[in-house]
Amino acid sequence: MQTPAIALTGIGLLALICQWAAWRMRLPAILPLLVAGILSGPVTGLLKPDLLLGDLLFPLVSLAVAVILFEGSLTLDFKELRGHGRTVRRLVTWGALITGTVATVAAHVLLDLTWEMASVLGAVLVVTGPTVVLPLLQTLRARAHLTQILRWEGILIDPVGAIAAVLVFEFVVLGQGQGAFSHTLSMFARTAAIGFGLGMLGGYLWGLVLRHHWLPQRLHSFGTLMIVLTLFSLSNALFHESGLLTVTVMGVWLANMRGVPTQHIIEFKETLSVLLISGLFILLAARLTAEQLALLSWPAWGFLAILLWVARPLSVWLCTLGSGLEWREKALLAWLSPRGIVAAAVASLFAIQFEEAGVSGANILVPVVFLVIISTVVMQSLLSRPLARFLQVSEPEASGFLIVGANSVARAIALKLTEAGVAVRLADNNWDAVQEARMAGLPVYYGNPLSEHAAQHLELTGIGYLLPLSPYRELNNLAVLHFEHILGHGRVFLLAEEDARNAHRHREQALEHLPILFDGDATYARLSHLIEHGGELRSARLTEDFNLQAYCAIHDQCLLPMFSIAPNGRIRVANTRTPLSPKPGDTLISLIYADSPEFA
């Protein structure tokens, strides 16, 4: 007999396997999670969430969705909404309205849903979200401005669409069983007042606690989670189902309140979200029944076709009028709109509540949303890159550098590469180093480059190589492991360590196949010492008569070759596996030591 402990452990292990598979295949994690849930639930009957959790199922799903919506809203900075162009603003406002309207009409006509249920489905399917868009963009490599539009649309539509879906749901729920529209409207106004009022008040008061450090920093993340859940429960107690709106508004308020340190909260919720999302979607998918899956006949597929081939293209066409985008670029934007975590979570929660209320059409809500999610993720993952190549909107091979660290060594190398016309981007969580880099005119990301926040906000367009130049060995090695999967083999390098013999013995086996950057003696300490004591990075154009050997002889071998750039722009990085062999016409970038004859 299957005990609850065994079942919950099995869900955890299955979630881990799904997350690993998504990482290996560069797919959004929601895809294998939903497939695993369907296989373990309606297909095999191994997992029955309602029997496993009983009366706890709905409260647990509600609290998990509340945390997911708070997480999404915590990323909505109004400065970013204003700062990313008219097209993005149109897509997350008018575009969302157009998509929701077309989806509502299609759901009413094809799926035979009431206008109320159709409007809920249309509102839910407005949301795309960064968790599904960003993995696609990493493999797509479209033109930089297209990547920016898709990236910021995915980030900003997450909380905007969540708020819209919750508001539509509240309106529909309040209208069930009420005869007068005016009564429904007044109840909706009460829900909105409580949701917005309590959310803003809670966000402001908790923001003061965080800003003035009235709570120790180690408790900021835990305290925020408890306040979110408390406000969610309190709001629902004051007025039925107003809690989702409350926590969403609270997240938006904290994201835009000055002086509130949210970085640690974001890092904590990243780990929590992986746990919640992984278990939640296996359970939600396992709740589907064979009867619900049987409802996915031609009307459901017709609804999907209209969503893909009518709603999105119409939205993109209207929102990009006067934008200057070519028709090829608009075609790619019209194709990419995968649905993700917020749509699945919100639809599942709404369906449970509609089923308990006996609302007609509730049984088809989740199957249709899951069909849209799985279909859009699979089709767009497989076809987006070939489509971008066919439309000729792909970027050429990326040759820029992501540099881990914004210290003096990283800045010196970044400045010289920038002079040579090579794109660079630095990443560091040391504020003083970040400020120095910004004053030098270098693009820099402030934060941990391995975090989920970096996955959403660290711009990798045009980046093809990783240089680990942090003084911290562990950070360098973790960055190499993380970005090798994104950038590919042969594009990441290890930084030499002080005791090469000891370093080789203790280095992780997963790193053994990687080459050492520059040469075996180019440790961070040595590079920093050379630069601090007068060493300079210089570039030289090589010719038939003035080759690498002649250049080294001029400096009495007191130089460290780092990069060579061919006339066609192709760049090579010196490393222990493939030392530089520049040809005539190439530009050589080297570190010239202070004891070179030129400095004498």
Side-chain angles (χ1 to χ4, degrees), residues 313-337:
L314 179 63
S315 170
V316 168
W317 179 68
L318 291 175
C319 292
T320 55
L321 289 174
S323 65
L325 294 175
E326 304 173 5
W327 71 267
R328 299 171 184 272
E329 296 171 329
K330 293 180 182 181
L332 185 66
L333 292 179
W335 168 247
L336 267 170
S337 59

Side-chain angles (χ1 to χ4, degrees), residues 219-359:
L219 294 178
H220 279 195
S221 300
F222 176 67
T224 301
L225 176 63
M226 290 300 100
I227 293 299
V228 167
L229 298 181
T230 300
L231 285 177
F232 173 74
S233 302
L234 176 62
S235 183
N236 279 341
L238 290 174
F239 197 81
H240 186 58
E241 301 306 338
S242 61
L244 292 177
L245 182 59
T246 297
V247 298
T248 305
V249 171
M250 178 185 174
V252 175
W253 188 278
L254 286 174
N256 292 276
M257 188 172 175
R258 287 187 178 181
V260 177
T262 58
Q263 185 62 36
H264 294 289
I265 299 171
I266 291 172
E267 291 176 358
F268 171 76
K269 63 88 180 165
E270 290 165 5
T271 302
L272 182 64
S273 295
V274 170
L275 178 63
L276 285 177
I277 290 168
S278 299
L280 179 65
F281 289 127
I282 289 177
L283 287 171
L284 293 178
R287 285 192 76 245
L288 291 172
T289 63
E291 290 75 17
Q292 285 179 302
L293 293 178
L295 294 173
L296 298 178
S297 56
W298 74 262
W301 290 96
F303 174 77
L304 172 65
I306 288 178
L307 204 63
L308 290 176
W309 301 108
V310 178
R312 177 64 176 181
L314 179 63
S315 170
V316 168
W317 179 68
L318 291 175
C319 292
T320 55
L321 289 174
S323 65
L325 294 175
E326 304 173 5
W327 71 267
R328 299 171 184 272
E329 296 171 329
K330 293 180 182 181
L332 185 66
L333 292 179
W335 168 247
L336 267 170
S337 59
R339 271 58 175 185
I341 286 170
V342 171
V346 171
S348 299
L349 179 60
F350 291 176
I352 293 173
Q353 293 170 305
F354 283 137
E355 287 169 5
E356 291 182 348
V359 178

